[in-house]
Amino acid sequence: METPPLGRLKHYLAGVTDNRQAWKVRHPLTSVLFIAVVGTIANGGSWEEIEQFGKGKESWFRQYVDLPWGAPSHDTFERVFRWIDGKEFERSFILWMREICQDKELGIVAIDGKTMRGSGDKTTERSPLHIVSAWSSANNLVLGQVKTDEKSNEITAIPALLDLLDVKGSIVTIDAMGTQKEIAAKIIQKKADYVLNVKKNQPRLYEDIQYFIEEESKSQFNEVEHEYSRTLDKGHGRIEKREYYLFNEIEWLSWKKEWKNLGGFGMVRRQISDTKGNFLHEEQAYFITSLKSNVNNFAEAVRAHWGIEAMHWSLDVVLNEDRRTVRKDNGAQNLAVLKRMALNILRANATEKKMTGPQKRFRACWDEDYMGSVLRDM
């Protein structure tokens, strides 16, 4: 089998500082991190399982990393991931993905948070760790993450994440918690556009947009300039119609100048019925955006934001993130990076497009040729 280059992944893993006492070190840090990434891809759900995988595939691993004392023990994996600097590991991940995506369009960049359930501890009243991630719709990859201690801290975590990312030319989407003036300004500073969800946490915006929509809808929006698009999806015995409205005539808005490069606001109306035409459900959502036209781009951004929710689902269902109990030191933060690295590698592999995530992980744990193909371009 041709040896995969793996140059980019190993390069950025090698950039993580080794804080261990040198005289006690047997296993090179890059080797420990590399086996942890590969072991996680290959169905490893605990440090004990990754130890067994490393020992069972030791001769295979020797093609890529130095193992002067054989494969590391589970205690070594646990200590390393507790002690390495979480921010530095996050940054290595972001730089790795920046190189992977450097010649590709990012499309829609969705930013959202996810709580790691297994990192909390009720006995010590320690809150679970909250991870804010950025996801690229065009590449179906996680671009990076930063950790926060509370969901409410997303407001400060999002600008910190944007500072680390290259989102130039993309459209950044964020849910209502991230609809903040400073965040909008940061996105524009990064030479990107924004589509931000508006809910009642921004009462002035929400009430003005809601009143406008209610009044203009009485005339079916015939008396106001706007762009319109519609999609119709059928499946699972339901028909879902989505209507997208984009309004760019906004000189009348008293708060227009408070939002950097504000180009307009939009509304999405979602109607669900059964195949017989019986009405089941309707809901509306409001957004502000820097887009000054093109309702199709607005519609794509709103639809694509769902992709980050699918990514969160994959972390739980495919990689069992919430089932893993890790609470000490930097362990939970670094485990979150490890899981996202593994998920990206699995998603980037196009060798077996029809295989599910769990099927890819199962095959990778025994088929060395397949594992090599999974890793080849990373």
Side-chain angles (χ1 to χ4, degrees):
M1 182 188 73
E2 180 185 354
T3 301
L6 300 172
R8 290 180 290 196
L9 174 59
K10 288 172 63 178
H11 170 74
Y12 290 109
L13 292 178
V16 179
T17 303
D18 193 344
N19 296 317
R20 296 173 295 173
Q21 294 175 301
W23 62 277
K24 292 183 179 180
V25 171
R26 288 187 170 187
H27 305 285
L29 182 61
T30 303
S31 302
V32 177
L33 297 178
F34 181 78
I35 294 174
V37 172
V38 176
T40 300
I41 293 169
N43 244 4
S46 66
W47 297 131
E48 289 80 3
E49 291 174 358
I50 290 174
E51 173 191 350
Q52 292 304 314
F53 180 77
K55 289 181 177 178
K57 298 290 185 180
E58 184 176 321
S59 60
W60 183 86
F61 275 115
R62 287 184 182 276
Q63 298 175 86
Y64 314 116
V65 293
D66 295 328
L67 297 173
W69 294 85
S73 69
H74 65 273
D75 288 330
T76 298
F77 286 114
E78 182 179 11
R79 284 195 299 270
V80 164
F81 276 83
R82 280 176 55 189
W83 292 346
I84 60 175
D85 184 270
K87 289 185 177 181
E88 188 177 42
F89 197 34
E90 286 176 340
R91 182 168 179 80
S92 295
F93 172 47
I94 289 170
L95 292 174
W96 174 51
M97 292 318 303
R98 182 181 292 182
E99 183 173 347
I100 292 290
C101 298
Q102 65 180 346
D103 297 322
K104 303 175 183 178
E105 292 186 3
L106 298 180
I108 311 303
V109 175
I111 296 178
D112 197 16
K114 179 184 182 296
T115 299
M116 294 183 66
R117 305 295 176 191
S119 62
D121 190 347
K122 292 183 179 179
T123 59
T124 61
E125 298 184 348
R126 178 176 178 174
S127 299
L129 203 64
H130 196 71
I131 302 295
V132 177
S133 301
W135 173 84
S136 165
S137 67
N139 302 286
N140 198 23
L141 297 174
V142 185
L143 299 176
Q145 71 161 63
V146 294
K147 71 110 178 179
T148 69
D149 294 321
E150 300 283 349
K151 181 175 175 60
S152 59
N153 291 344
E154 282 188 25
I155 294 172
T156 55
I158 291 171
L161 178 56
L162 285 166
D163 275 334
L164 298 171
L165 299 175
D166 181 5
V167 294
K168 182 179 179 180
S170 67
I171 301 175
V172 178
T173 65
I174 312 175
D175 65 14
M177 183 171 286
T179 303
Q180 307 289 331
K181 297 167 190 174
E182 295 79 8
I183 292 175
K186 175 65 70 174
I187 294 169
I188 297 301
Q189 180 188 332
K190 300 291 289 187
K191 301 187 185 307
D193 281 299
Y194 58 80
V195 172
L196 307 177
N197 191 205
V198 175
K199 291 185 178 179
K200 292 182 180 180
N201 64 319
Q202 289 284 353
R204 190 156 60 119
L205 277 65
Y206 184 85
E207 290 166 9
D208 282 357
I209 295 173
Q210 183 182 50
Y211 178 78
F212 175 89
I213 296 294
E214 289 176 351
E215 289 299 307
E216 296 300 334
S217 63
K218 294 174 183 177
S219 63
Q220 302 297 312
F221 301 103
N222 289 326
E223 298 178 2
V224 62
E225 190 173 332
H226 69 283
E227 293 183 58
Y228 173 80
S229 177
R230 186 183 78 163
T231 60
L232 200 65
D233 296 310
K234 298 180 180 180
H236 306 289
R238 304 194 311 175
I239 299 173
E240 181 176 321
K241 181 173 75 172
R242 289 180 182 243
E243 295 179 288
Y244 302 88
Y245 295 84
L246 182 61
F247 305 93
N248 294 113
E249 295 296 328
I250 57 172
E251 293 304 321
W252 58 274
L253 289 174
S254 61
W255 38 266
K256 175 183 180 293
K257 294 182 179 179
E258 298 175 17
W259 295 83
K260 188 73 172 180
N261 281 26
L262 183 67
F265 62 89
M267 186 264 284
V268 179
R269 179 182 291 144
R270 178 170 172 259
Q271 296 175 324
I272 298 175
S273 59
D274 62 24
T275 52
K276 296 180 180 180
N278 298 311
F279 173 80
L280 299 176
H281 177 70
E282 178 178 302
E283 62 185 21
Q284 293 184 169
Y286 306 135
F287 301 84
I288 59 171
T289 178
S290 60
L291 298 172
K292 295 177 173 58
S293 64
N294 201 326
V295 69
N296 292 324
N297 285 347
F298 168 67
E300 181 187 1
V302 173
R303 288 196 305 270
H305 188 79
W306 176 84
I308 198 167
E309 298 294 339
M311 181 270 289
H312 290 161
W313 181 88
S314 294
L315 287 169
D316 286 338
V317 175
V318 178
L319 291 166
N320 302 316
E321 183 173 71
D322 276 354
R323 298 182 190 177
R324 191 84 172 264
T325 302
V326 180
R327 296 167 177 162
K328 295 181 179 179
D329 303 317
N330 300 325
Q333 181 180 3
N334 290 323
L335 182 64
V337 176
L338 177 66
K339 294 283 189 180
R340 284 154 180 77
M341 281 184 169
L343 182 64
N344 276 359
I345 293 171
L346 286 168
R347 286 188 164 186
N349 176 252
T351 304
E352 298 289 348
K353 293 183 178 180
K354 294 183 179 180
M355 290 172 61
T356 65
Q359 287 169 345
K360 287 182 178 181
R361 294 189 75 200
F362 176 71
R363 183 170 174 182
C365 74
W366 58 268
D367 187 339
E368 294 179 359
D369 288 342
Y370 176 70
M371 176 60 86
S373 73
V374 169
L375 294 170
R376 185 164 289 115
D377 297 325
M378 306 304 286

